[in-house]
Amino acid sequence: MEVVLLPTPEDCGRVVADAVVGSVLPALARSGPVVLGLATGSSPLLAYQELLRRHRDEGLSLTGVQAFLLDEYVGLPAGHPESYREVIRRELTDALGLDPAVVHGPDGAAADPLQAARDYEAQLLAAGPVVVQVLGIGSNGHVGFNEPGSSLASRTRVKTLTEQTRTDNARFFGGDVDAVPRHVITQGLGTILGAQHLVLVATGEGKAEAVAAAVEGPLTASCPGSVLQLHPHVTLVVDEAAGSRLVRADHHRYVLAHKLASQGW
Ligand code: F6R
């Protein structure tokens, strides 16, 4: 796993944008369908803003991409402003000029969410592999909405959020924890591992413990983020605050300072 420790969240946003573009553009050039995996939440927002800046100012085009979300709340009506499909359209894909028809997410409003989860897994497998998957991490180590205790081999399914995650996410619902759905459909950890390149971004002191557990702790379902240790191509981008509990922080800075230009992300 490459740990990229950077001074500011803005630096993280630029590197995540570089990593996404570095995986997606060569795949688009080879032609054929290119699947881009997107996370929602606060962590990737600066990276998404950087992609939009490059689209606006430098002609970056991601046309040809099929975007697949990691997860979705169960029970929010389609079009709800906090449903992840709406969030990603608002924050990224509309302004990138991507047709909503190429932006896919689990159907959290389905009458049968269990079947909707199975359908989404099948849709993703048929479209994939995911060329690059953007990830955040929860303060409790969750990835996607795979909360602690999730099977490291799990596939897309319905999960119940922890109260900590509902409290963390209440800020998107006007601070009202009761408004945060209890259930979600999330790609499983095994599903996420199927992506060719995982790019996880975390910023702020609140993520420091989860980042250290994911990178340096044991491989354990108690920290779902630790499953990244099994993947051959992970770029983990953190600011100094989120990386502040990493025992090998000095080594990560040293590696970055001496990175070969040919190594890329
Ligand atoms: C979002 C997702 C979650 C978030 C995580 C961190 O699609 O899958 O795992 O990445 O909850 O959220 P933020 O970035 O808001 O701190």
Side-chain angles (χ1 to χ4, degrees):
M1 176 181 324
E2 180 174 19
V3 179
V4 185
L5 196 51
L6 298 166
T8 68
E10 288 73 20
D11 296 323
C12 294
R14 280 188 288 273
V15 167
V16 171
D18 286 346
V20 167
V21 166
S23 287
V24 167
L25 291 189
L28 282 172
R30 285 192 296 272
S31 82
V34 175
V35 178
L36 168 62
L38 296 173
T40 44
S42 312
S43 304
L45 286 180
L46 288 169
Y48 294 163
Q49 285 164 22
E50 176 63 12
L51 289 172
L52 292 178
R53 188 197 65 73
R54 294 180 195 187
H55 174 67
R56 203 177 49 240
D57 299 345
E58 299 171 7
L60 171 70
S61 170
L62 298 186
T63 300
V65 149
Q66 295 279 331
F68 277 77
L69 292 178
L70 274 177
D71 40 24
E72 182 59 277
Y73 292 113
V74 168
L76 296 184
H80 187 286
E82 291 311 322
S83 81
Y84 281 168
R85 188 95 69 100
E86 278 304 299
V87 169
I88 206 71
R89 285 182 52 179
R90 194 166 65 231
E91 304 288 358
L92 183 66
T93 56
D94 278 358
L96 269 182
L98 295 180
D99 188 324
V102 303
V103 182
H104 311 279
D107 183 0
D112 182 350
L114 276 65
Q115 186 57 44
R118 288 189 287 270
D119 291 347
Y120 189 64
E121 172 83 16
Q123 189 188 8
L124 181 59
L125 288 179
V130 175
V131 168
V132 57
Q133 174 67 58
V134 178
L135 298 169
I137 188 167
S139 57
N140 63 1
H142 74 221
V143 171
F145 273 135
N146 297 280
E147 298 282 31
S150 293
S151 159
L152 300 180
S154 48
R155 312 303 307 188
T156 305
R157 68 227 182 283
V158 172
K159 290 295 283 181
T160 307
L161 294 178
T162 61
E163 284 303 292
Q164 180 179 346
T165 299
R166 293 182 71 229
T167 303
D168 285 349
N169 286 8
R171 67 190 192 282
F172 298 117
F173 292 82
D176 180 7
V177 181
D178 292 335
V180 183
R182 284 200 163 72
H183 298 99
V184 291
I185 298 173
T186 180
Q187 286 188 35
L189 294 169
T191 315
I192 291 168
L193 287 180
Q196 293 173 336
H197 183 189
L198 302 178
V199 180
L200 188 148
V201 58
T203 57
E205 174 65 30
K207 300 294 175 71
E209 204 175 315
V211 166
V215 176
E216 295 176 341
L219 174 64
T220 169
S222 295
C223 176
S226 68
V227 80
L228 270 58
Q229 296 174 26
L230 289 174
H231 194 281
H233 190 183
V234 177
T235 309
L236 192 135
V237 185
V238 290
D239 69 351
E240 287 289 343
S244 59
R245 304 265 182 97
L246 288 169
V247 172
R248 290 190 293 275
D250 281 344
H251 178 66
H252 299 311
R253 290 189 197 95
Y254 178 85
V255 169
L256 185 62
H258 297 91
K259 194 174 162 85
L260 300 173
S262 55
Q263 282 183 296
W265 300 113

